[in-house]
Amino acid sequence: MSCYIELQNISQSFQATQSKVTLFNNLNLRVEQGKSYAITGPSGAGKSSLLMLMSGLEQPTSGQGIYSKNGQSHSLAYLKTDIGFIFQQFHLLPELTALNNVALPLKLRGDKRAMNKAKIWLEKVGLQHRENHKPSELSGGEQQRVAIARALVFEPNFIFADEPTGNLDKDSAASIADILFDCCRENNAGLVIVTHSDALANRAQQVFSLADGQLNNPLANVEVA
């Protein structure tokens, strides 16, 4: 049975120096395992905040999120073991090799086959020949491939990617997009991408635009109050 994440009447605001800033109000959104989604919009619109809320890594000011798995509903806190997160800045540990960076999430879970699984995933992203190199010895595109392998190594139900090609040149960005979409498709993982790149966004099955507190896509499974 497919899993899904649903946000219900989500609002997010924060206190600035002299005023309250509201990113969005009463937003409703549902994303499903096995499908791909892109969130676009101007800087400061709240795209990254929305991604953090959907992944359960941040709490909304109001509203609730639901994670449905195997026909049962849970809070988004339950998502922690079922998601992978990919950042624009890679967030690799500089003292570890590519292989050990990928294996780390499995090691933290006590998986005795962590290194073998990490090798398999480095091969999937085309970096088996770089497994003993540290991040400082890799190009930006190679570092992002390691980050993708690390996010997918435990075969999560959902992958969240925040500007995954933002620091890469055009050719590297296209290559990373190929790997990201292919790997998620092969593993039936839901993919949610925040991006300023139209080329990357247009590869998703559904594209949302977040601006002025509203999320728009008339063809999407989304409502805006």
Side-chain angles (χ1 to χ4, degrees):
M1 184 178 293
S2 182
C3 306
Y4 65 84
I5 297 167
E6 187 166 9
L7 302 183
Q8 301 175 339
N9 298 316
I10 291 290
S11 298
Q12 188 71 314
S13 59
F14 60 91
Q15 190 67 37
T17 305
Q18 295 181 342
S19 62
K20 181 180 178 181
V21 176
T22 298
L23 294 176
F24 38 79
N25 261 321
N26 299 323
L27 184 150
N28 296 281
L29 171 64
R30 172 168 159 163
V31 297
E32 299 179 2
Q33 182 183 1
K35 296 183 179 180
S36 57
Y37 307 82
I39 301 170
T40 65
S43 296
K47 300 185 300 298
S48 294
S49 290
L50 179 58
L51 200 67
M52 296 295 278
L53 290 176
M54 292 173 66
S55 61
L57 297 178
E58 285 186 1
Q59 297 298 313
T61 305
S62 62
Q64 67 173 342
I66 293 173
Y67 175 40
S68 177
K69 181 179 182 181
N70 299 327
Q72 296 185 328
S73 294
H74 308 273
S75 72
L76 293 188
Y78 196 86
L79 263 172
K80 290 180 180 178
T81 58
D82 285 348
I83 66 168
F85 214 105
I86 300 168
F87 300 89
Q88 179 177 352
Q89 303 295 338
F90 317 134
H91 289 296
L92 301 177
L93 295 179
E95 69 275 15
L96 297 183
T97 63
L99 182 63
N100 279 298
N101 263 290
V102 175
L104 185 60
L106 294 177
K107 287 183 176 180
L108 293 175
R109 296 175 182 217
D111 192 326
K112 294 180 180 179
R113 297 188 60 241
M115 297 300 282
N116 287 335
K117 291 179 180 179
K119 283 178 179 286
I120 291 170
W121 272 98
L122 276 181
E123 185 173 353
K124 286 187 178 185
V125 300
L127 283 183
Q128 63 271 26
H129 61 296
R130 303 286 267 167
E131 66 177 36
N132 292 318
H133 290 73
K134 294 183 178 180
S136 61
E137 301 170 308
L138 302 174
S139 69
E142 288 172 332
Q143 290 184 60
Q144 191 60 295
R145 285 197 241 173
V146 173
I148 290 172
R150 181 184 59 187
L152 278 156
V153 71
F154 56 92
E155 301 181 356
N157 290 331
F158 289 91
I159 290 290
F160 296 93
D162 193 359
E163 295 285 0
T165 61
N167 283 337
L168 307 177
D169 60 62
K170 185 177 180 180
D171 290 340
S172 294
S175 175
I176 289 300
D178 287 341
I179 291 170
L180 187 54
F181 278 90
D182 288 347
C183 287
C184 285
R185 192 177 303 114
E186 288 172 10
N187 286 272
N188 193 37
L191 174 62
V192 186
I193 299 174
V194 160
T195 182
H196 283 102
S197 167
D198 290 338
L200 181 60
N202 289 335
R203 297 188 61 161
Q205 291 169 295
Q206 294 188 24
V207 182
F208 307 133
S209 176
L210 181 62
D212 300 322
Q214 296 194 4
L215 192 63
N216 296 307
N217 184 347
L219 300 180
N221 185 13
V222 60
E223 303 170 24
V224 180

